[in-house]
Amino acid sequence: QVQLQESGPGLVKPSQTLSLTCTVSGGSISSGDFYWTWIRQPAGKRPEWVGRVTISGLTDYNPSLKSRVTISIDTSRNQFSLKMNSVTAADTAVYYCARVARSNTYYYFDYWGQGTLATVSS
Amino acid sequence: DIQMTQSPSSLSATVGDRVTITCRASQGISNYLSWFQQKPGRAPKLLIYSASTLQTGVPPRFSASGSGTDFTLTISRVQPEDFATYYCQQTYNSPLTFGPGTKVDIK
């Protein structure tokens, strides 16, 4: 059973960088035809897709965040990471990592982490 | 960006009721549509992918259909554990987008 666990500071000051890591267990991050993705959800709002990374390190980002976001993967540690710079209070949200199952005919988020609350405040 | 809408935004149901939620995409997305259930303080849980395929382990009282721009999620006989918020998500085009959610609560 694949499990994902987010980790990182729960409190970030405005204008600084939010850094989160997702650790994958129960399977190799490099095996299978999967992508790895970040999603965030402000309190009381719908989820927002942040971006994704392939096992070869190719990325795709939400254009609304692209200038501030970097997603990377470390296959040796079975982890992938999110960095978001120049954060403001609007970036306060629960951040989830998830696995993307994909092929020519399907694309869906099947396993999710439990989420971690990142609060931007001085 | 593809905009996703859902209706209703909320509904009240009694255990055993049949519940139907609709989701509409602002442009055709073929069958690249997922449905998620989310309970307070929990991560979204995948129920349906590819518009109508039940995820492993999800009870068969959940079903879904649709293609193109219009989709539905049906709970045939709602159970106490089904009271939650339901989101649709399109995975046809980047950026991937979610609907605003439908909250199902107890009447």
Side-chain angles (χ1 to χ4, degrees):
Chain A
Q1 176 85 354
V2 173
Q3 293 185 309
L4 296 90
Q5 178 69 59
E6 305 88 352
S7 59
L11 183 63
V12 184
K13 288 182 168 36
S15 80
Q16 294 192 343
T17 297
L18 167 67
S19 295
L20 297 175
T21 296
C22 182
T23 301
V24 179
S25 59
S28 170
I29 202 170
S30 300
S31 68
D33 211 3
F34 302 110
Y35 293 165
W36 303 90
T37 190
W38 287 96
I39 307 100
R40 70 179 186 176
Q41 187 174 29
K45 296 188 176 181
R46 73 182 81 182
E48 177 184 32
W49 177 71
V50 175
R52 62 93 173 133
V53 63
T54 71
I55 59 172
S56 56
L58 296 177
T59 53
D60 184 23
Y61 300 122
N62 191 323
S64 68
L65 301 169
K66 186 174 184 176
S67 64
R68 301 192 292 125
V69 167
T70 301
I71 298 175
S72 58
I73 192 166
D74 186 340
T75 54
S76 66
R77 295 188 175 189
N78 239 34
Q79 295 177 332
F80 62 107
S81 300
L82 168 69
K83 291 189 187 299
M84 180 181 294
N85 59 34
S86 305
V87 296
T88 70
D91 296 310
T92 294
V94 175
Y95 286 75
Y96 297 101
C97 57
R99 188 180 81 168
V100 184
R102 36 85 63 186
S103 77
N104 287 341
T105 58
Y106 60 75
Y107 193 108
Y108 57 91
F109 298 179
D110 57 353
Y111 288 97
W112 293 58
Q114 64 185 28
T116 188
L117 175 62
T119 302
V120 179
S121 175
S122 55
Chain B
D1 298 7
I2 297 175
Q3 308 302 317
M4 306 299 292
T5 58
Q6 289 181 234
S7 62
S9 57
S10 65
L11 66 90
S12 295
T14 301
V15 171
D17 282 352
R18 181 182 180 89
V19 168
T20 298
I21 299 167
T22 64
C23 174
R24 177 165 288 175
S26 60
Q27 64 187 76
I29 59 171
S30 184
N31 68 336
Y32 286 85
L33 192 284
S34 299
W35 288 98
F36 294 90
Q37 176 194 68
Q38 188 177 33
K39 297 181 179 179
R42 305 290 297 274
K45 173 188 174 184
L46 179 68
L47 299 176
I48 301 282
Y49 63 92
S50 299
S52 61
T53 304
L54 200 65
Q55 171 69 339
T56 302
V58 175
R61 63 179 178 273
F62 290 93
S63 64
S65 64
S67 184
T69 60
D70 294 312
F71 303 86
T72 61
L73 173 70
T74 298
I75 311 172
S76 59
R77 291 190 180 87
V78 71
Q79 298 300 299
E81 60 268 31
D82 301 336
F83 293 101
T85 298
Y86 293 83
Y87 294 98
C88 60
Q89 179 207 25
Q90 67 83 16
T91 58
Y92 181 75
N93 260 354
S94 179
L96 311 184
T97 47
F98 290 82
T102 295
K103 185 176 182 180
V104 178
D105 62 20
I106 301 174
K107 185 181 291 183

